[in-house]
């Protein structure tokens, strides 16, 4: 079991990279007041850290997507609290995998006549892409292994881990996530 999960990206490295992304975003949005729109729930941690590294005046909002089944339909469950018309929207995702969610989101925001739409994702799984979708700011490019931690979950768990972990053997892990939980948390 110890081999089923391995440390992928340490919290320190995440912090450094988020700082670099924040600096690039600060430069690109200089003189504007963007609205950062985080995609719940996974992007919550990334949004919280990223916006504190962005040195321009901005608004923060969230939306919540619902996904039905593997590769199923994507539906907006909770919308932003303010209209996006005429705004410079910076969408923030935890991870871009097939690219389907981001494609749907970008189209939706463009249809609402935002002034501009850009996207930042902490993790990019380029090799898993089904639809080619623009991604202006990416934290890390990874392979196709399943990740947990720093907002990323396995059936709702492990979002609160400060580091990112890679699941090397998803079948073993899924059959018994408790073993990993006991390794990383003060469990029992
Ligand atoms: P996609 O790009 O539409 O395929 O979907 C991206 C979404 O799938 C993300 O927002 C996550 O919720 C989920 N996801 C994809 N890969 C992972 C992973 O490695 N760990 C946890 N969630 C993932
Ligand atoms: Mg997500």
């Amino acid at each position: 079991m110890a081999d089923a999960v391995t440390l992928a990206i340490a919290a320190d490295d995440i912090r450094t990279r988020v700082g670099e992304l924040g600096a690039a975003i600060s430069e690109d949005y200089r003189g504007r007041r963007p609205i950062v729109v985080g995609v719940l729930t996974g992007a919550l941690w990334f949004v919280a850290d990223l916006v504190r590294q962005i040195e321009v005046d901005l608004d923060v909002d969230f939306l919540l997507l619902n996904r039905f089944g593997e590769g199923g339909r994507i539906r907006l469950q909770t919308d932003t609290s303010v209209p996006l018309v005429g705004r410079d929207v910076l969408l923030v995702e935890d991870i871009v995998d097939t690219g389907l969610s981001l494609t749907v989101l970008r189209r939706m925001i463009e249809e609402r006549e935002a002034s501009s739409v850009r996207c930042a994702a902490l993790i990019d799984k380029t090799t898993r892409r089904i639809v080619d979708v623009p991604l202006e700011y990416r934290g890390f490019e990874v392979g196709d292994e399943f990740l947990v931690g720093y907002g990323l979950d396995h059936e709702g768990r492990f979002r609160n881990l400060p580091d990112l972990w890679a699941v090397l053997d998803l079948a073993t892990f899924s059959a018994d996530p408790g073993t990993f939980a006991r390794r990383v948390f003060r469990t029992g």
Side-chain angles (χ1 to χ4, degrees):
M1 181 61 199
D3 295 326
V5 189
T6 187
L7 185 70
I9 306 170
D12 274 348
D13 297 325
I14 298 173
R15 194 174 309 117
T16 302
R17 187 69 188 121
V18 170
E20 291 167 358
L21 292 175
I25 291 166
S26 304
E27 206 48 51
D28 293 351
Y29 285 90
R30 182 191 294 265
R32 287 189 282 167
R33 181 164 68 92
I35 180 165
V36 171
V37 176
V39 184
L40 294 173
T41 300
L44 182 59
W45 292 256
F46 180 38
V47 168
D49 288 341
L50 182 64
V51 292
R52 286 178 288 180
Q53 301 298 323
I54 301 177
E55 296 175 306
V56 300
D57 192 14
L58 55 74
D59 298 348
V60 182
D61 215 312
F62 292 95
L63 52 76
L64 177 58
L65 290 185
N66 233 341
R67 220 171 147 163
F68 301 100
E70 263 298 299
R73 279 186 59 82
I74 294 152
R75 202 196 57 164
L76 187 65
Q77 181 171 314
T78 309
D79 207 341
T80 53
S81 61
V82 296
L84 301 178
V85 56
R87 301 299 307 267
D88 290 308
V89 177
L90 178 62
L91 258 176
V92 179
E93 268 277 24
D94 47 4
I95 185 164
V96 182
D97 184 28
T98 62
L100 289 168
S101 321
L102 185 55
T103 302
V104 168
L105 275 175
R106 286 192 83 116
R107 195 173 303 145
M108 187 189 84
I109 290 166
E110 277 156 13
E111 278 168 5
R112 290 176 180 193
E113 293 171 25
S115 288
S116 68
V117 185
R118 288 180 174 206
C119 183
L122 182 71
I123 306 289
D124 185 5
K125 282 189 183 175
T126 25
T127 57
R128 299 245 320 156
R129 204 71 97 249
I130 291 173
V131 255
D132 191 25
V133 59
L135 179 55
E136 286 80 5
Y137 307 98
R138 89 186 40 161
F140 300 94
E141 235 184 279
V142 301
D144 69 356
E145 64 274 3
F146 193 81
L147 299 175
V148 294
Y150 197 76
L152 293 173
D153 72 307
H154 177 267
E155 295 177 358
R157 298 164 78 169
F158 307 115
R159 293 192 197 273
N160 58 321
L161 290 173
D163 306 302
L164 274 156
W165 296 76
V167 177
L168 303 176
D169 179 349
L170 193 56
T172 304
F173 181 84
S174 301
D176 174 28
T179 297
F180 178 61
R182 283 187 291 279
R183 182 173 154 201
V184 291
F185 296 127
R186 300 183 202 182
T187 305

